[in-house]
Amino acid sequence: MLPRRLKAGDQIRVVAPSMSLSLLPDTIRTAAVERLRAEFGVEVTFGAHVEESGPLGTGPIAGRVADLHDAFTDPAVAGILAVIGGHHSNQLLPHLNFDLIRANPKVFCGFSDITALQGAVLAKAGLVTYSGPHFSTFAMREHNEATIEAFRRCVFEDAPVSWVPATTWTDDEWYRLQDAAEGRPAPSRNEGWWVLQPGTANGPLVGGNLCTLNLLQGTPYWPDLDGAVLVVEDDFESTVHAFARDLTSLLQTGIAVRALVVGRFQRQSGVTQELLRHIVTSAPQLAGVPVLGNVDVGHTNPLYTFPVGGSCYLAAEPGAVEIVLTRH
C-alpha cells in the first residue's frame, strides 16, 4: 500500500521514535524547518513528546508511541519525519497499533535506527515507508542538494525515479551546518557504484540499516525478504567483521533475494571494495545474484530516498549501472 504523494501546503509532523529532539540545538532545528519550508512549501509541526529524554537519550516509550499514533491519525498531517536515528526504536514495536497505521497511510521517512519501524510497518501493516533523510538531515546547508532532490522525486513526484551514481559525496557529520567560515573540505569525487556481481533484477526494495534490520529476526515484525532487491548499509561503528557476520546472519534466515544493494560505507568503517567483494563472493546464498556496492544510500551524503516495499528495476553491468524506482 502506497501513501499519497506530498505536495506544497502539506503539514509534516516531526516525531522522535528513536533519539530525542532535545539532542538538537535550536540552530539545527531552525535550519531544518527553514529548509523544508523553502524547498517544499510545507508546514512543520512537532509531536507533543519529541523533547522528552532519559538515560539512553530516548523519551519514555508511551510518549514516543503516542506521537506516532497521533501523527498517523491527525487528518491535518500528510507526512511524518523522524527527528534522527540512534537506538531503541524497536522498543516501540509491541505497543504500536498497526491496524491504525494501515487505516491511515502516510509518508513516513527516516533511516538508520528507523529501519526497525519500517520493517515492522511493512510486515504488519503492509504500508510502504521511506528510507531517507531525517528531520535533522535538512539542517545541512551545503552539499545536501542531491539528497533533497532525491527526497523530492521519491515522495513528491509520480514519475519513475532513475538513480545513477552521484558525481561527488561527503562524509560530514549530520550535525554540521557547514558554514563557509568552518572551512569544510570540498566533497570527494565519487568513483561510482561497484559492480560486485553483474546482472539485472526486478522486485520490491526492502531493507535499510543492516544491524537494525537484523534486530527483527525471530520477531513477529520480520518483513518478507524473499524475492526482494535487498538494500543494506551501516555506519562507521560497523567494522568489516561486524558487517560480514551481520550479512551472513541475514542470509542464513533462508531468504532468496533477487539482488543486493550495499550502501556506501563511511571512511572510518575501513570497508574497501576488495573486502566487500570478498564478503559477497564468499556467501553461497548470493551465487548468481546481481550485487552493487558503494551506492548512494545510508550514512554518507548524498542520501537517496527509497520506498521500503516499493518496486524497482536494477541493472548491475560494468559501465551501465542504474536503479529505477518503478512503484514508489
PDB file of all heavy atoms in Angstrom, residues 135-148:
ATOM      1  N   PHE A 135      14.564  14.538   9.826  1.00  0.00           N
ATOM      2  CA  PHE A 135      14.370  15.979  10.009  1.00  0.00           C
ATOM      3  C   PHE A 135      15.710  16.676  10.139  1.00  0.00           C
ATOM      4  O   PHE A 135      15.972  17.702   9.494  1.00  0.00           O
ATOM      5  CB  PHE A 135      13.504  16.216  11.249  1.00  0.00           C
ATOM      6  CG  PHE A 135      13.456  17.645  11.709  1.00  0.00           C
ATOM      7  CD1 PHE A 135      12.762  18.597  10.976  1.00  0.00           C
ATOM      8  CD2 PHE A 135      14.101  18.039  12.879  1.00  0.00           C
ATOM      9  CE1 PHE A 135      12.719  19.929  11.393  1.00  0.00           C
ATOM     10  CE2 PHE A 135      14.052  19.360  13.308  1.00  0.00           C
ATOM     11  CZ  PHE A 135      13.364  20.302  12.563  1.00  0.00           C
ATOM     12  N   SER A 136      16.621  16.123  10.939  1.00  0.00           N
ATOM     13  CA  SER A 136      17.919  16.758  11.176  1.00  0.00           C
ATOM     14  C   SER A 136      18.752  16.862   9.906  1.00  0.00           C
ATOM     15  O   SER A 136      19.575  17.778   9.770  1.00  0.00           O
ATOM     16  CB  SER A 136      18.701  15.982  12.243  1.00  0.00           C
ATOM     17  OG  SER A 136      18.862  14.632  11.869  1.00  0.00           O
ATOM     18  N   THR A 137      18.562  15.947   8.958  1.00  0.00           N
ATOM     19  CA  THR A 137      19.340  15.966   7.721  1.00  0.00           C
ATOM     20  C   THR A 137      19.160  17.277   6.967  1.00  0.00           C
ATOM     21  O   THR A 137      20.092  17.775   6.325  1.00  0.00           O
ATOM     22  CB  THR A 137      18.912  14.797   6.812  1.00  0.00           C
ATOM     23  OG1 THR A 137      18.956  13.569   7.545  1.00  0.00           O
ATOM     24  CG2 THR A 137      19.806  14.692   5.586  1.00  0.00           C
ATOM     25  N   PHE A 138      17.962  17.840   7.037  1.00  0.00           N
ATOM     26  CA  PHE A 138      17.663  19.050   6.282  1.00  0.00           C
ATOM     27  C   PHE A 138      18.362  20.283   6.845  1.00  0.00           C
ATOM     28  O   PHE A 138      18.313  21.357   6.245  1.00  0.00           O
ATOM     29  CB  PHE A 138      16.155  19.273   6.223  1.00  0.00           C
ATOM     30  CG  PHE A 138      15.442  18.254   5.381  1.00  0.00           C
ATOM     31  CD1 PHE A 138      14.847  17.142   5.962  1.00  0.00           C
ATOM     32  CD2 PHE A 138      15.398  18.384   3.997  1.00  0.00           C
ATOM     33  CE1 PHE A 138      14.213  16.196   5.185  1.00  0.00           C
ATOM     34  CE2 PHE A 138      14.766  17.443   3.218  1.00  0.00           C
ATOM     35  CZ  PHE A 138      14.171  16.338   3.811  1.00  0.00           C
ATOM     36  N   ALA A 139      19.051  20.140   7.981  1.00  0.00           N
ATOM     37  CA  ALA A 139      19.801  21.259   8.535  1.00  0.00           C
ATOM     38  C   ALA A 139      21.129  21.480   7.830  1.00  0.00           C
ATOM     39  O   ALA A 139      21.740  22.537   7.983  1.00  0.00           O
ATOM     40  CB  ALA A 139      20.045  21.050  10.033  1.00  0.00           C
ATOM     41  N   MET A 140      21.601  20.504   7.064  1.00  0.00           N
ATOM     42  CA  MET A 140      22.875  20.674   6.351  1.00  0.00           C
ATOM     43  C   MET A 140      22.711  21.735   5.275  1.00  0.00           C
ATOM     44  O   MET A 140      21.875  21.610   4.388  1.00  0.00           O
ATOM     45  CB  MET A 140      23.324  19.348   5.748  1.00  0.00           C
ATOM     46  CG  MET A 140      23.680  18.308   6.778  1.00  0.00           C
ATOM     47  SD  MET A 140      24.303  16.774   6.024  1.00  0.00           S
ATOM     48  CE  MET A 140      25.886  17.335   5.382  1.00  0.00           C
ATOM     49  N   ARG A 141      23.531  22.770   5.334  1.00  0.00           N
ATOM     50  CA  ARG A 141      23.367  23.913   4.431  1.00  0.00           C
ATOM     51  C   ARG A 141      24.084  23.710   3.106  1.00  0.00           C
ATOM     52  O   ARG A 141      23.717  24.322   2.101  1.00  0.00           O
ATOM     53  CB  ARG A 141      23.885  25.185   5.099  1.00  0.00           C
ATOM     54  CG  ARG A 141      23.018  25.634   6.260  1.00  0.00           C
ATOM     55  CD  ARG A 141      23.574  26.913   6.873  1.00  0.00           C
ATOM     56  NE  ARG A 141      22.755  27.329   8.003  1.00  0.00           N
ATOM     57  CZ  ARG A 141      23.111  28.282   8.856  1.00  0.00           C
ATOM     58  NH1 ARG A 141      24.254  28.915   8.691  1.00  0.00           N
ATOM     59  NH2 ARG A 141      22.328  28.611   9.863  1.00  0.00           N
ATOM     60  N   GLU A 142      25.133  22.909   3.086  1.00  0.00           N
ATOM     61  CA  GLU A 142      25.917  22.709   1.869  1.00  0.00           C
ATOM     62  C   GLU A 142      26.016  21.225   1.549  1.00  0.00           C
ATOM     63  O   GLU A 142      25.921  20.372   2.426  1.00  0.00           O
ATOM     64  CB  GLU A 142      27.321  23.292   2.033  1.00  0.00           C
ATOM     65  CG  GLU A 142      27.328  24.797   2.259  1.00  0.00           C
ATOM     66  CD  GLU A 142      28.736  25.330   2.467  1.00  0.00           C
ATOM     67  OE1 GLU A 142      29.692  24.562   2.270  1.00  0.00           O
ATOM     68  OE2 GLU A 142      28.864  26.505   2.831  1.00  0.00           O
ATOM     69  N   HIS A 143      26.222  20.914   0.262  1.00  0.00           N
ATOM     70  CA  HIS A 143      26.427  19.544  -0.207  1.00  0.00           C
ATOM     71  C   HIS A 143      25.228  18.648   0.111  1.00  0.00           C
ATOM     72  O   HIS A 143      25.378  17.440   0.279  1.00  0.00           O
ATOM     73  CB  HIS A 143      27.691  18.933   0.406  1.00  0.00           C
ATOM     74  CG  HIS A 143      28.883  19.828   0.357  1.00  0.00           C
ATOM     75  ND1 HIS A 143      29.176  20.614  -0.754  1.00  0.00           N
ATOM     76  CD2 HIS A 143      29.850  20.092   1.279  1.00  0.00           C
ATOM     77  CE1 HIS A 143      30.283  21.297  -0.506  1.00  0.00           C
ATOM     78  NE2 HIS A 143      30.707  21.010   0.715  1.00  0.00           N
ATOM     79  N   ASN A 144      24.047  19.249   0.177  1.00  0.00           N
ATOM     80  CA  ASN A 144      22.847  18.497   0.520  1.00  0.00           C
ATOM     81  C   ASN A 144      21.840  18.493  -0.634  1.00  0.00           C
ATOM     82  O   ASN A 144      20.748  17.953  -0.506  1.00  0.00           O
ATOM     83  CB  ASN A 144      22.190  19.109   1.769  1.00  0.00           C
ATOM     84  CG  ASN A 144      21.409  18.096   2.575  1.00  0.00           C
ATOM     85  OD1 ASN A 144      21.595  16.889   2.435  1.00  0.00           O
ATOM     86  ND2 ASN A 144      20.525  18.570   3.437  1.00  0.00           N
ATOM     87  N   GLU A 145      22.209  19.090  -1.754  1.00  0.00           N
ATOM     88  CA  GLU A 145      21.248  19.280  -2.845  1.00  0.00           C
ATOM     89  C   GLU A 145      20.766  17.969  -3.428  1.00  0.00           C
ATOM     90  O   GLU A 145      19.574  17.799  -3.703  1.00  0.00           O
ATOM     91  CB  GLU A 145      21.886  20.144  -3.954  1.00  0.00           C
ATOM     92  CG  GLU A 145      22.198  21.577  -3.541  1.00  0.00           C
ATOM     93  CD  GLU A 145      23.504  21.704  -2.763  1.00  0.00           C
ATOM     94  OE1 GLU A 145      24.233  20.685  -2.634  1.00  0.00           O
ATOM     95  OE2 GLU A 145      23.779  22.827  -2.270  1.00  0.00           O
ATOM     96  N   ALA A 146      21.675  17.014  -3.633  1.00  0.00           N
ATOM     97  CA  ALA A 146      21.271  15.736  -4.232  1.00  0.00           C
ATOM     98  C   ALA A 146      20.380  14.937  -3.282  1.00  0.00           C
ATOM     99  O   ALA A 146      19.460  14.243  -3.727  1.00  0.00           O
ATOM    100  CB  ALA A 146      22.505  14.923  -4.621  1.00  0.00           C
ATOM    101  N   THR A 147      20.637  15.031  -1.991  1.00  0.00           N
ATOM    102  CA  THR A 147      19.783  14.361  -1.010  1.00  0.00           C
ATOM    103  C   THR A 147      18.370  14.928  -1.062  1.00  0.00           C
ATOM    104  O   THR A 147      17.375  14.177  -1.056  1.00  0.00           O
ATOM    105  CB  THR A 147      20.364  14.540   0.402  1.00  0.00           C
ATOM    106  OG1 THR A 147      21.619  13.849   0.477  1.00  0.00           O
ATOM    107  CG2 THR A 147      19.427  14.006   1.470  1.00  0.00           C
ATOM    108  N   ILE A 148      18.262  16.240  -1.119  1.00  0.00           N
ATOM    109  CA  ILE A 148      16.957  16.892  -1.156  1.00  0.00           C
ATOM    110  C   ILE A 148      16.225  16.574  -2.457  1.00  0.00           C
ATOM    111  O   ILE A 148      15.021  16.301  -2.463  1.00  0.00           O
ATOM    112  CB  ILE A 148      17.121  18.411  -0.947  1.00  0.00           C
ATOM    113  CG1 ILE A 148      17.515  18.677   0.510  1.00  0.00           C
ATOM    114  CG2 ILE A 148      15.838  19.161  -1.308  1.00  0.00           C
ATOM    115  CD1 ILE A 148      17.886  20.105   0.805  1.00  0.00           C
TER     116      ILE A 148
END
